[in-house]
Amino acid sequence: MLAFLLYAAATYAQTTSYVFPFTSDTSIVNGYHIYGSVGSGPTTEFLIDTGSTGVLISPRALGTNYTLLNENFCFAYSSSNNTYQGHWVLAPIVFSGSGSEPVSAQTIPIPVRVATQFCSGATGKCTTDPGEISVSMLGVGLGRGNMSWGGEDGCGNQVPLGVNAFLQLEEMQPGENASPGYIITPRNSSITLGITGANSEGFDFVALQLAGNASNVTYSDWVPPTVEVNVASQTWTPFNASLLIDTGISYSIIQSPASDALPGSTSRGVTTVSNGTSLNLTLPSLGGQELYAFVTGQPGAPAYVSWRHAAAPFVNTGRGALGEFDYLFDARRGRVGFAFNRTV
Ligand SMILES: *[C@@H]1O[C@H](CO)[C@@H](O)[C@H](O)[C@H]1NC(C)=O
Ligand SMILES: *[C@@H]1O[C@H](CO)[C@@H](O)[C@H](O)[C@H]1NC(C)=O
Ligand SMILES: *[C@@H]1O[C@H](CO)[C@@H](O)[C@H](O)[C@H]1NC(C)=O
Ligand SMILES: *[C@@H]1O[C@H](CO)[C@@H](O)[C@H](O)[C@H]1NC(C)=O
Ligand SMILES: *[C@@H]1O[C@H](CO)[C@@H](O)[C@H](O)[C@H]1NC(C)=O
Ligand SMILES: *[C@@H]1O[C@H](CO)[C@@H](O)[C@H](O)[C@H]1NC(C)=O
Ligand SMILES: *[C@@H]1O[C@H](CO)[C@@H](O)[C@H](O)[C@H]1NC(C)=O
Ligand SMILES: *[C@@H]1O[C@H](CO)[C@@H](O)[C@H](O)[C@H]1NC(C)=O
Ligand SMILES: *[C@@H]1O[C@H](CO)[C@@H](O)[C@H](O)[C@H]1NC(C)=O
């Protein structure tokens, strides 16, 4: 055992990781949550969202230890059409968890979105009353386009680099001992920050293409992997699509090539797939390994599957897929990992 540990330390310079238990009200229905404090603010429960990038908070979640960045933002969640506007601040975030042993880890000061206006997608009503703005999202996704990586948001504001809090721990900075990345382990109700040789054992890896690289943050952005969509009892052929495993939603979104018929009656070009439909999502880069197979309406399926056409085929599994595997994102090496039969 000792010999093994010494070997591992010699092989992998990056040896530090932190395991945070999810908060107690975490579930596949409610989503995965972690506690954090922004700029020495109150301990706040965050939804871990792999479908967006960057931290979005209400003013009351921000403490006094921050500096204003001279930059505004607009942010829209396409799923709910909730929209937020406000300003960027630079603030450190301290994550904390109390499992068998208390654990905490701090980021360097990173750009954070503080919302000063909220418009409800459901009602269309807008408010600037800080008391009515309740949001604490921790966007940690990869390859989410203009939400990060110096893109422009919907209002033409520049989005700063380095907004993914899980990749910006102090220990993940150059010369330190942790490697930027995380492992979501729902069956242990925990998330690990920092990829090591030991904690990445037992995963099947898919190498990713570079989407953006910058020397002033310690990691790159990556193009999401490809998934193949197979639907039994339908006439169309399987198709490949860009894969998003989105812990921010409980349902699934599939955008198929325009040449396919939609699997159900449509209004405005969108359909909800009928109950009893078998879907099988597989990973071509892992030799057709099954990623997530389910029958709509049955246990283990997404809450529902919303299907539409799009020029760029796309699958958002929703968080239901995480009932099938542990999910690893290694931002430094550019790979995602899946552990299908790991016991914890
Ligand atoms: C499971 O969670 C506990 C703390 O809640 C942690 O100590 C342990 O390392 C975790 N195991 C894995 C494989 O993540
Ligand atoms: C989304 O919300 C914005 C502003 O709140 C509104 O202008 C837009 O029409 C909405 N879009 C949809 C698809 O509901
Ligand atoms: C404020 O943030 C800085 C930068 O992360 C940190 O070094 C400092 O300890 C923080 N101050 C307090 C009072 O927490
Ligand atoms: C990205 O840009 C598009 C086009 O300008 C815009 O509609 C969308 O809201 C932007 N997304 C975000 C998260 O800012
Ligand atoms: C990183 O560098 C880019 C390009 O020079 C710059 O636009 C951006 O503001 C820098 N980001 C940070 C966090 O320093
Ligand atoms: C990203 O840029 C840095 C600095 O220019 C370089 O050292 C690194 O190899 C690049 N990473 C990749 C994946 O190309
Ligand atoms: C999906 O992509 C893989 C790898 O490029 C390829 O082998 C496979 O035939 C594609 N599937 C479809 C349905 O086009
Ligand atoms: C899904 O497809 C894969 C690859 O063809 C296959 O191995 C697996 O058995 C299928 N799963 C189901 C539930 O049909
Ligand atoms: C589909 O199944 C789910 C779960 O069993 C159920 O809640 C829902 O009402 C069903 N939908 C229809 C249209 O029957």
Side-chain angles (χ1 to χ4, degrees), residues 204-223:
D204 295 325
F205 286 103
V206 176
L208 306 175
Q209 302 285 315
L210 194 62
N213 188 17
S215 52
N216 61 353
V217 287
T218 56
Y219 59 92
S220 298
D221 200 17
W222 303 95
V223 178

Side-chain angles (χ1 to χ4, degrees), residues 32 48-53 76-80 137 141-144 147 224-229 239-256 271 273 279 281 291-292 294 296 300-308 310 312-322 325 327:
Y32 309 124
I48 299 169
D49 181 21
T50 55
S52 68
T53 309
Y77 289 103
S78 53
S79 46
S80 60
M137 290 289 264
L142 65 119
R144 300 303 295 137
M147 292 180 203
T226 296
V227 69
E228 190 178 275
V229 183
F239 62 91
N240 281 332
S242 175
L243 171 66
L244 173 61
I245 295 168
D246 182 353
T247 57
I249 60 174
S250 62
Y251 60 97
S252 181
I253 300 168
I254 298 184
Q255 299 182 345
S256 69
T271 189
V273 176
L279 281 90
L281 308 180
L291 176 76
Y292 185 28
F294 59 88
T296 48
Y304 58 92
V305 180
S306 175
W307 194 297
R308 66 199 72 166
F314 167 78
V315 171
N316 182 338
T317 63
R319 59 182 162 255
L322 283 151
F325 49 79
Y327 175 61

Side-chain angles (χ1 to χ4, degrees), residues 13-14 16 169-180 218 332:
Q14 259 96 28
T16 303
L169 297 186
E170 286 179 335
E171 281 290 323
M172 291 174 180
Q173 302 309 307
E176 302 295 337
N177 292 323
S179 186
T218 56
R332 181 156 291 161

Side-chain angles (χ1 to χ4, degrees), residues 2 5 8 19 21 60 78 87 128 178 183 205 210-211 227 231 237 246 271 292 313 333:
L2 183 61
L5 287 174
V19 180
R60 65 172 171 275
S78 53
H87 50 260
T128 56
I183 306 171
F205 286 103
L210 194 62
V227 69
V231 188
T237 48
D246 182 353
T271 189
Y292 185 28
R333 288 176 66 175

